[in-house]
């Protein structure tokens, strides 16, 4: 059980007055919190073939909270979705041009804070092979005339994983709110292998769940079959001679879910034991690492703060100056990337920012580590 010294906490949390300098200019006091995007439909608006779109068509996604959308992602036959920058944005609509490589599917929007929303309706792309008016026949892997088939049996050679694997989302985090998810046809497999893209080694086997919609999914939490946290890097679902689909996997995520700048670091001024990250008040904060909430409190120096004991690590993660009481409670288990509160200015703070600490062997019991190199690494892939 952790013990807390008021004197130690005050010293550990003095973060704001002495030397923030230019960071204060960036960290304004914007308390308004932008709504997350919610797409409720999609339609073709120019260069349409009936109700179908084509490459180069302008399409409109409707809904709410869409004014800050920065990217529209379209379904693709490739491993990853194809992207387009919106031409017009408003709270209730986004317009974008269908890029090359797009196929029939449900488009997705991503806003400036990396919030996402996927259309519940498909956008039909004429001529991509999925349009009902497209008479082009798909290739049959069991047809002896098709490349890769075994002419002696009519079976595709070496095919030990299902055809047509795709991954969406294609970036996962250890025990995360967001996990890399493979999509396959229902009944095509009961499990999939996770294979390292570096050396082809199978690191995990994950079950396939039938969604009852003609599609099945497999999700990986970043834990190997040996119970270890998988190294950061690229992996594939499938392998074994059949189709495979690549994705990225990481053990941490950057805790500030929006635009930010770095302020004072460890050792800057008396008792500064962490790293300041400046962002507007109200920006969502998430858990950098899955774990268990050890402590939640408010203090005259730290403001609203919490401590999370990182899962499968001896590190405690400390988040200070939250705008309000954290959205999690002591004893709660949290996922990597799970919302824990919002950037604030509570306690002894000047300017909206997160004061973030990492403690080896326990907060106030071990030694504070310099979180800046880790934060910048997580920032690069989040």
């Amino acid at each position: 059980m952790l013990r807390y010294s008021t004197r130690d906490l005050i010293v550990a949390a003095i973060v704001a007055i002495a030397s923030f300098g230019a960071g204060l200019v960036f960290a304004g006091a914007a308390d308004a919190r932008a709504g997350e995007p919610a797409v409720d439909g999609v339609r073709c608006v120019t260069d349409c073939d009936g109700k179908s779109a084509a490459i180069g068509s302008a399409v409109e996604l409707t809904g709410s909270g869409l004014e800050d959308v920065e990217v529209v992602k379209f379904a693709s036959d490739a491993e990853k979705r194809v992207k387009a920058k919106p031409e017009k944005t408003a709270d209730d609509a986004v317009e974008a041009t269908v890029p090359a490589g797009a196929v029939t599917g449900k488009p997705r929007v991503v806003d400036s804070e990396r919030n996402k929303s996927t259309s519940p309706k498909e956008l039909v792309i004429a001529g991509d092979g999925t349009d009902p008016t497209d008479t082009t026949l798909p290739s049959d892997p069991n047809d002896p005339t098709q490349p890769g088939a075994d002419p002696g049996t009519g079976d595709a050679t070496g095919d030990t994983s299902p055809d047509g694997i795709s991954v969406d989302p294609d970036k996962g985090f250890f025990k995360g709110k967001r996990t890399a998810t493979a999509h396959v046809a229902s009944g095509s497999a009961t499990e999939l292998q996770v294979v390292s893209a570096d050396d082809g080694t199978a690191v995990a086997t994950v079950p396939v769940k039938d969604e009852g919609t003609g599609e099945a999914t497999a999700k990986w939490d970043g834990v190997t079959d040996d119970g270890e946290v998988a190294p950061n890097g690229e992996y594939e679902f499938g392998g074994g001679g059949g189709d495979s689909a690549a994705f990225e996997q990481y053990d941490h995520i950057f805790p500030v879910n929006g635009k930010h700048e770095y302020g004072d670091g460890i050792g800057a001024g008396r008792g500064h034991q962490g790293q300041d990250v400046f962002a507007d008040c109200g920006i969502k904060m998430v858990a950098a690492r899955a774990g268990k909430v050890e402590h939640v409190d408010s203090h005259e120096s730290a403001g609203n703060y919490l401590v999370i004991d990182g899962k499968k690590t001896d590190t405690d993660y400390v988040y200070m100056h939250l705008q309000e009481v954290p959205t999690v409670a002591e004893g709660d288990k949290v996922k990597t990337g799970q919302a824990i509160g919002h950037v604030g200015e509570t306690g002894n703070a000047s300017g909206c920012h997160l004061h973030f600490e990492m403690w080896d062997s326990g907060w106030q019991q071990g030694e504070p580590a310099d979180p800046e190199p880790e934060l910048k690494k997580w920032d690069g892939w989040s």
Side-chain angles (χ1 to χ4, degrees):
M1 179 177 178
L2 296 176
R3 290 184 171 85
Y4 305 95
S5 159
T6 300
R7 176 183 177 279
D8 288 344
L9 180 57
I10 293 173
V11 171
I14 294 175
V15 295
I17 296 178
S19 53
F20 290 146
L24 297 178
V25 176
F26 175 81
D31 293 321
R33 199 173 305 148
E36 294 189 3
V39 177
D40 60 20
V42 61
R43 67 187 184 96
C44 182
V45 293
T46 64
D47 298 325
C48 308
D49 182 4
K51 293 184 178 181
S52 301
I55 305 303
S57 295
V59 297
E60 182 184 63
L61 291 89
T62 57
S64 61
L66 304 178
E67 66 274 12
D68 292 327
V69 167
E70 292 188 341
V71 179
V72 180
K73 297 185 176 182
F74 295 82
S76 170
D77 282 335
E79 294 174 355
K80 298 184 178 182
R81 289 173 175 258
V82 290
K83 305 176 183 178
K85 290 286 187 182
E87 272 93 36
K88 299 178 183 177
T89 60
D91 178 70
D92 59 353
V94 172
E95 187 173 305
T97 299
V98 179
V103 300
T104 297
K106 299 176 180 180
R108 170 181 298 164
V109 299
V110 183
D111 71 9
S112 59
E113 294 186 16
R114 300 193 291 276
N115 298 311
K116 301 177 182 179
S117 179
T118 302
S119 170
K121 301 178 181 179
E122 284 194 337
L123 174 69
V124 177
I125 307 296
D128 70 348
T130 60
D131 180 29
T133 63
D134 190 338
T135 59
T136 303
L137 295 176
S139 60
D140 182 356
N142 292 323
D143 183 346
T145 64
Q146 295 295 329
D150 183 342
T153 64
D155 294 331
T157 58
D159 191 0
T160 58
S161 66
D163 294 326
I165 301 176
S166 62
V167 184
D168 186 21
D170 56 7
K171 183 182 292 184
F173 295 89
F174 165 69
K175 293 290 184 180
K177 182 179 178 182
R178 178 166 42 139
T179 56
T181 303
H183 301 260
V184 298
S186 293
S188 62
T190 58
E191 60 184 28
L192 290 177
Q193 283 189 329
V194 176
V195 179
S196 169
D198 288 336
D199 57 15
T201 302
V203 299
T205 303
V206 291
V208 173
K209 177 184 177 182
D210 196 319
E211 301 294 343
T213 59
E215 183 181 77
T217 59
K219 299 182 178 182
W220 186 43
D221 61 4
V223 179
T224 70
D225 285 342
D226 295 331
E228 301 297 326
V229 181
N232 297 326
E234 294 189 1
Y235 294 84
E236 295 179 353
F237 279 113
D243 280 359
S244 62
F247 63 96
E248 299 173 33
Q249 181 68 30
Y250 298 103
D251 56 9
H252 289 79
I253 195 169
F254 192 76
V256 177
N257 195 202
K259 294 179 180 178
H260 56 272
E261 287 186 358
Y262 292 85
D264 284 345
I266 195 165
R270 181 184 174 193
H272 202 269
Q273 296 175 309
Q275 176 65 47
D276 294 335
V277 179
F278 287 97
D280 287 343
C281 279
I283 294 291
K284 183 167 66 175
M285 283 171 41
V286 300
R289 172 88 169 204
K292 183 179 180 180
V293 179
E294 291 284 355
H295 197 66
V296 173
D297 207 346
S298 294
H299 189 273
E300 60 183 0
S301 292
N304 298 314
Y305 73 96
L306 76 157
V307 182
I308 297 177
D309 179 12
K311 189 173 182 64
K312 289 187 176 290
T313 177
D314 63 354
T315 302
D316 281 356
Y317 302 80
V318 187
Y319 308 77
M320 296 183 182
H321 305 311
L322 277 67
Q323 189 175 57
E324 64 282 295
V325 174
T327 57
V328 292
E330 291 181 16
D332 285 354
K333 293 181 179 179
V334 297
K335 298 180 178 180
T336 301
Q338 179 178 331
I340 56 175
H342 299 87
V343 173
E345 197 178 6
T346 59
N348 188 5
S350 296
C352 305
H353 70 283
L354 162 67
H355 174 81
F356 181 75
E357 297 180 359
M358 295 174 62
W359 286 72
D360 295 330
S361 303
W363 183 52
Q364 302 280 338
Q365 296 177 350
E367 293 293 331
D370 183 1
E372 181 180 10
E374 296 301 310
L375 283 167
K376 289 185 174 180
K377 184 168 62 175
W378 308 339
D379 202 357
W381 63 53
S382 297

